[in-house]
Amino acid sequence: MSTAQETAAYATEEAPRLGWAEHAPDVYKAMIRLDSVAKRGLDPTLYELVKIRASQLNRCAFCLDMHTKDALAAGESVERVVQLSAWQESRHFYTEKELAALELTEAVTVLTEGFVPDEVYARAAGHFEETELAQLVAAITVINAWNRFGVTFRMTPGHYQPGQHK
């Protein structure tokens, strides 16, 4: 007798629309450099949480695949990764500093009001020194840029190996 998973037919994996890095290699290399300098001075765990949360908001499956695998490989708990999409209801899984970073990530990522609210910025500024705060905003901005490439070109999730792009 077979299990439901063995008999279920999964949807066909779609190929990416375009291998953009091959066609714009200088842009890709610049993004890699920008990514490497944006994370300087930031806690690696916090950096992964920010990348995962922005990628959730932007619905970038490729980046979610990459950054959840990297976070788990670096020792992040499955529970904290799973709860990220509902961090406001799962606040007790995160430090106050992480919560401020997640709130800022959402405000910078979803600019529907056209600005980052003063109270969100102030909370983040209360947990991060100015240099670290500037780096955090840079990191949020960079993952949002990566997400736009991933979503636009429909980069295929599921094949990334932890640490592959480090």
Side-chain angles (χ1 to χ4, degrees):
M1 188 163 1
S2 64
T3 65
Q5 188 174 17
E6 290 172 340
T7 59
Y10 289 97
T12 303
E13 182 178 293
E14 290 187 39
R17 288 177 169 163
L18 178 72
W20 75 272
E22 297 164 23
H23 296 283
D26 290 340
V27 174
Y28 180 75
K29 290 174 192 169
M31 285 293 297
I32 295 289
R33 285 191 306 273
L34 185 59
D35 197 19
S36 71
V37 296
K39 67 183 175 184
R40 286 187 190 155
L42 293 177
D43 175 81
T45 299
L46 178 86
Y47 186 56
E48 289 299 330
L49 293 175
V50 163
K51 290 191 289 187
I52 294 166
R53 185 62 190 135
S55 298
Q56 289 172 336
L57 293 166
N58 290 320
R59 299 172 48 171
C60 183
F62 181 84
C63 291
L64 280 169
D65 180 53
M66 177 188 298
H67 300 302
T68 56
K69 286 176 178 176
D70 281 345
L72 293 170
E76 183 56 83
S77 74
V78 170
E79 193 168 48
R80 281 172 36 105
V81 170
V82 168
Q83 291 299 320
L84 254 180
S85 64
W87 67 268
Q88 292 161 322
E89 292 79 29
S90 305
R91 297 175 66 81
H92 60 285
F93 288 103
Y94 309 100
T95 67
E96 289 299 321
K97 187 173 185 175
E98 289 168 339
L99 291 169
L102 292 172
E103 186 177 29
L104 184 63
T105 299
E106 289 194 5
V108 172
T109 300
V110 184
L111 290 171
T112 54
E113 298 298 317
F115 59 90
V116 173
D118 290 339
E119 63 274 8
V120 171
Y121 184 86
R123 259 189 297 283
H127 289 280
F128 295 88
E129 294 178 12
E130 289 180 346
T131 300
E132 191 180 22
L133 183 57
Q135 290 296 127
L136 177 60
V137 172
I140 295 166
T141 302
V142 171
I143 189 56
N144 273 278
W146 282 120
N147 291 164
R148 269 98 181 126
F149 285 113
V151 170
T152 301
F153 296 118
R154 287 194 183 139
M155 295 172 65
T156 307
H159 303 285
Y160 179 78
Q161 298 299 315
Q164 181 178 335
H165 293 302
K166 291 195 180 217

